[in-house]
Amino acid sequence: MRAVRFHEYGGIDVLRVEEVERPVPGPGQVLVEVRAAGIQPGEVMIREGARHGRWPAVFPSGQGSDLAGVVAEVGAQVRGFAVGDEVLGFTHGRASHAEFVVVDDVDVVSRPQGLSWDVAGSLYVAGTTAYACVFAVDPGPTDTVVVSGAAGGVGSLAVQLARHRGATVIGLASERNHAWLKERGVVPVAYGEGVAERIREACGADVDAFIDTFGDGYVELAVELGVRPERINTIRDWQAAARIGARTYGEGAAACAVVVGELARLAARGELEVPIARGYPLEEVRDAFRELEQGHTHGKIVLRP
């Protein structure tokens, strides 16, 4: 089969699509023929070696966590899945950017009818991270929540999940994404100099919670706005969070098939939109990450093996 590999830390040019041995599922595992697999900013940091202390790579390394596809083989003791079933889920083995991937059967769920392959293959990392962010700050109908990076892969889901709880949501994003946010009941505010005053003008009240998906000073902004540390959550600025006692709930806090299944059902019912920016064939993995690393994408970028 073909799979993405890199043999050393580095930039986009270290990524290769190579012929590798097709894996065989063991007990409690299924082999999935991948139809779509999302790519993530965290994979960039791992590939560059910036997270070596936390997530070291073993070379040659694959990549990819999100996946959706069709069960091609089942191992012994697998229950609930058969060859031909359409599934979505995740792997912790950095292996989904490939034509086939072995997955533990407890890490996949059935693909709901009407859910596109691209959305199904993009839900795990961004979806569970957004879910954890919203859970961490616990917004309710009387709360005003600010979300930085509100049009990004995680932010675009976090604003919708917070609105689903009835909260007033202010989304920080570039003006070209304001119409999309308004259509989903989010109050858009442009980021940049003077953003604190624009937030105050937009909400006309106190800010109760802050979800930071971007980093770059937003934890400090939340403090400036009077948000209590226990209702600030960041997935980027861990040092600032440690200084003030803010939360750092991310993907790992909600990394289970139950959450993925709940998000998939919401998306299939039209209650959660997962924007898809673009899909790339596996051979164009470098182009996919080149677009991702520009940092201005609205929604998810997907590989389609």
Side-chain angles (χ1 to χ4, degrees), residues 38-41 66 118 121-123 125-127 151-154 156-157 274-279 292 297-302:
I39 69 173
Q40 323 295 336
D66 292 34
D118 283 353
S122 302
L123 267 178
V125 171
V154 174
S156 61
L157 303 183
V274 183
I276 302 298
R278 189 176 302 183
L292 178 74
T297 303
H298 171 50
K300 297 295 298 178
I301 297 174
V302 186

Side-chain angles (χ1 to χ4, degrees), residues 37-153:
I39 69 173
Q40 323 295 336
E43 289 157 357
V44 176
M45 293 184 280
I46 290 173
R47 184 239 303 154
E48 292 177 339
R51 292 290 181 265
H52 179 79
R54 190 172 184 181
W55 297 302
V58 177
F59 301 117
S61 177
Q63 62 177 19
S65 301
D66 292 34
L67 64 97
V70 179
V71 175
E73 296 180 33
V74 297
Q77 302 168 20
V78 169
R79 296 181 179 180
F81 296 102
V83 172
D85 286 350
E86 297 179 352
V87 297
L88 69 145
F90 58 93
T91 172
H92 293 305
R94 299 184 190 169
S96 69
H97 296 169
E99 291 180 316
F100 293 89
V101 59
V102 165
V103 188
D104 292 341
D105 61 0
V106 295
D107 294 337
V108 290
V109 296
S110 298
R111 181 172 74 120
Q113 185 175 4
L115 189 68
S116 75
W117 284 118
D118 283 353
V119 170
S122 302
L123 267 178
Y124 169 63
V125 171
T128 60
T129 302
Y131 188 100
C133 287
V134 174
F135 176 84
V137 303
D138 193 25
T142 62
D143 288 327
T144 296
V145 185
V146 177
V147 180
S148 68

Side-chain angles (χ1 to χ4, degrees), residues 226-240:
V227 183
R228 301 196 312 272
E230 65 270 21
R231 300 203 73 189
I232 300 170
N233 191 79
T234 180
I235 61 172
R236 289 292 187 91
D237 200 343
W238 301 296
Q239 291 182 340

Side-chain angles (χ1 to χ4, degrees), residues 249-279:
Y249 286 28
E251 164 203 334
C256 67
V258 172
V259 171
V260 174
E262 181 180 343
L263 295 169
R265 289 187 290 274
L266 285 172
R269 293 197 302 262
E271 297 176 30
L272 177 69
E273 181 185 350
V274 183
I276 302 298
R278 189 176 302 183

